[in-house]
Amino acid sequence: MISVQNITVRFGEKEVLHHFSLQLPERGIVGLSGPSGCGKTTLLRVLAGLQRPDEGTAVLPGPVTMLFQEDRLLPWRTAEEHLTDVLPRGRRQEAAHWLALVELTGEEHARPAQLSGGMRRRLALARALACGGGLFLLDEPFTGVDRDRAKRILTRMRELSVPILLSGHEPELLALCQSVVWLDGPPLRLVPPPAP
């Protein structure tokens, strides 16, 4: 299990997480749904080891890979180079697989400035998935991506059989997650799912 126990995070006088606990399965896609500013990104940063909690502990299944809300692409690298840079030397031919998964086949030699916002987001997602790891933390992975394409990509991601925790708002994408954690805050807290 992915386990978060009594996590508290304070920024000055503000508590973003207050004794927050959560247990998640080690396989499948779990959606985090809550209003902007409720603490989802802070939770992901704690799980990624980028934010030290003031209290509490987290138990994770191996190395963590995080996709940030910003694409963080290198302007001088082609789409393919963004992937070959993170793949082990003997597996660099897999770049084509990850580009196909996010529907960027044919854009191998394009640099970020030649791609639309949605295409850059998909490239950042492909790079994160290609990195591998025991847990993938994806912060708003489909920003700027049209819904039909995002649904196709998310369906393919389900077949990877790896633990993925993603934050999002779109009901049709959350419906493709194996489970959804409903949140509110700050401080971040679990809430019942919305009425149908």
Side-chain angles (χ1 to χ4, degrees):
M1 295 289 289
I2 299 163
S3 178
V4 176
Q5 296 293 333
N6 296 313
I7 295 289
T8 296
V9 174
R10 302 182 187 92
F11 295 108
E13 297 296 316
K14 183 178 181 180
E15 276 194 334
V16 181
L17 277 72
H18 177 76
H19 296 295
F20 182 83
S21 296
L22 181 66
Q23 286 196 330
L24 301 168
E26 283 192 37
R27 286 288 176 268
I29 300 177
V30 177
L32 297 178
S33 180
S36 295
C38 73
K40 299 187 301 295
T41 295
T42 300
L43 173 61
L44 293 177
R45 289 179 60 82
V46 168
L47 291 173
L50 300 173
Q51 175 68 51
R52 185 185 297 270
D54 294 287
E55 300 173 35
T57 58
V59 178
L60 307 174
V64 173
T65 297
M66 183 161 181
L67 172 67
F68 297 91
Q69 287 186 9
E70 312 84 26
D71 299 328
R72 301 189 180 195
L73 300 174
L74 302 173
W76 57 88
R77 289 277 194 267
T78 65
E80 184 176 58
E81 288 169 343
H82 275 90
L83 301 179
T84 56
D85 284 353
V86 300
L87 288 165
R89 186 175 300 276
R91 293 174 40 205
R92 290 182 176 171
Q93 72 281 1
E94 292 178 19
H97 162 75
W98 295 111
L99 289 173
L101 188 143
V102 299
E103 302 188 4
L104 283 176
T105 299
E107 302 295 342
E108 293 85 351
H109 304 296
R111 289 183 168 79
Q114 299 169 294
L115 301 174
S116 69
M119 294 167 83
R120 290 194 296 271
R121 193 63 184 152
R122 287 185 276 140
L123 176 57
L125 174 59
R127 180 181 58 183
L129 295 174
C131 281
L135 173 63
F136 293 87
L137 305 172
L138 309 180
D139 200 356
E140 303 286 351
F142 296 110
T143 301
V145 180
D146 70 84
R147 291 296 153 253
D148 287 341
R149 177 172 277 122
K151 287 163 67 175
R152 292 194 300 270
I153 295 170
L154 190 51
T155 299
R156 294 185 197 108
M157 288 167 55
R158 285 176 59 128
E159 298 169 3
L160 299 176
S161 296
V162 295
I164 296 174
L165 191 57
L166 67 83
S167 65
H169 302 282
E170 303 83 357
E172 60 268 36
L173 297 181
L174 293 171
L176 289 173
C177 296
Q178 274 102 339
S179 60
V180 178
V181 176
W182 302 95
L183 301 162
D184 203 352
L188 191 68
R189 62 187 181 275
L190 301 171
V191 296

